[in-house]
Amino acid sequence: MSDFIPELKLFGPMVTTGNISILTNSASLKTRPRINFVSGAGFSITATDDATNYKTDITIGGKAAGYYGSFCDTTTQSAAAANTAYTMTLNTTVEANGVSIVSGSKITVAYAGTYNLQFSAQVENQNVQIKDIDIWLSKNGTNVTNSNTRLSIPETHGGTHGHSVPAWNFVMTLAANDYLQLNWSVTNTDVSLKYNAAQTSPTRPAIPSLIVTINQIANLA
């Protein structure tokens, strides 16, 4: 009779950490089992041979959670000239893991993957006429094709400046150390990204000029 060689298959994408033992009649097999892993991204595998006891110990563990960042800016960002490109800045890290702000505006990822970038900007218009703002994305200093959007910001009315909050998201596949930037231009310098301090009556939080969150949605490792 031929030798009995078991085959164990483990399917991903996520398996909790633990050890695998192959037994027969409550005793370890005195043969080297063949173990075949069929999986996608999502877990790590380490193997340790134990020749003395005729076994290989396999440890399977889930990969670390996806990388992320939450950032904002607590200054008013102004355009010195109309119809000129400017880069939005971020001066505050709320929390982050594997993502950081470099040189005040570069949303930089330490690890490769596909990321979802979301933002909202508090745009204010102090002019008595409607004015426009364009907002677009760049990657590693180069404008991303088809990423621009134009909005018309309401004029000052009844002594109150006009406001609008552009907010949308981009999905981008990035290599380690790639960076993204949000860029803007206006048709009149009366349009700015406005920061407002915390207020009372009622008590409410400050309004950042820009809020950005980014999270990894696919791991390319």
Side-chain angles (χ1 to χ4, degrees):
M1 183 175 67
S2 60
D3 292 336
F4 170 66
I5 301 178
E7 179 178 353
L8 173 65
K9 291 185 178 181
L10 300 177
F11 292 85
M14 187 64 70
V15 181
T16 57
T17 301
N19 295 319
I20 300 170
S21 298
I22 299 179
L23 306 175
T24 179
N25 297 326
S26 300
S28 297
L29 290 173
K30 298 301 182 180
T31 184
R32 302 296 294 276
R34 179 164 66 95
I35 301 178
N36 180 28
F37 292 92
V38 180
S39 65
F43 64 83
S44 58
I45 302 171
T46 58
T48 304
D49 281 333
D50 184 348
T52 301
N53 296 306
Y54 301 93
K55 67 178 183 177
T56 299
D57 292 328
I58 308 293
T59 301
I60 301 176
K63 287 187 176 179
Y67 301 104
Y68 60 88
S70 177
F71 313 98
C72 66
D73 193 75
T74 57
T75 66
T76 292
Q77 303 181 43
S78 301
N83 304 311
T84 303
Y86 294 95
T87 300
M88 296 184 186
T89 59
L90 294 156
N91 67 0
T92 301
T93 298
V94 180
E95 58 178 282
N97 176 31
V99 185
S100 61
I101 303 301
V102 176
S103 301
S105 66
K106 298 177 180 178
I107 306 161
T108 307
V109 301
Y111 303 95
T114 299
Y115 289 81
N116 187 6
L117 172 73
Q118 310 91 30
F119 81 94
S120 64
Q122 178 66 68
V123 183
E124 180 178 275
N125 179 14
Q126 298 185 12
N127 199 281
V128 295
Q129 295 182 331
I130 295 173
K131 300 299 178 183
D132 292 342
I133 183 172
D134 283 28
I135 298 174
W136 67 95
L137 185 70
S138 62
K139 174 183 174 183
N140 298 332
T142 301
N143 290 338
V144 175
T145 303
N146 298 321
S147 66
N148 190 32
T149 299
R150 178 172 299 158
L151 295 93
S152 293
I153 312 304
E155 72 280 13
T156 293
H157 49 281
T160 300
H161 298 317
H163 295 92
S164 184
V165 181
W168 53 87
N169 67 292
F170 301 97
V171 174
M172 297 291 295
T173 297
L174 305 172
N177 300 313
D178 278 352
Y179 66 88
L180 300 174
Q181 290 172 295
L182 291 165
N183 308 281
W184 63 300
S185 69
V186 293
T187 56
N188 188 285
T189 57
D190 283 338
V191 177
S192 65
L193 307 181
K194 180 65 173 177
Y195 169 76
N196 291 98
Q199 300 175 54
T200 58
S201 299
T203 299
R204 52 202 189 276
I207 303 174
S209 57
L210 177 65
I211 297 173
V212 170
T213 62
I214 181 171
N215 60 290
Q216 186 189 61
I217 58 176
N219 190 327
L220 302 183

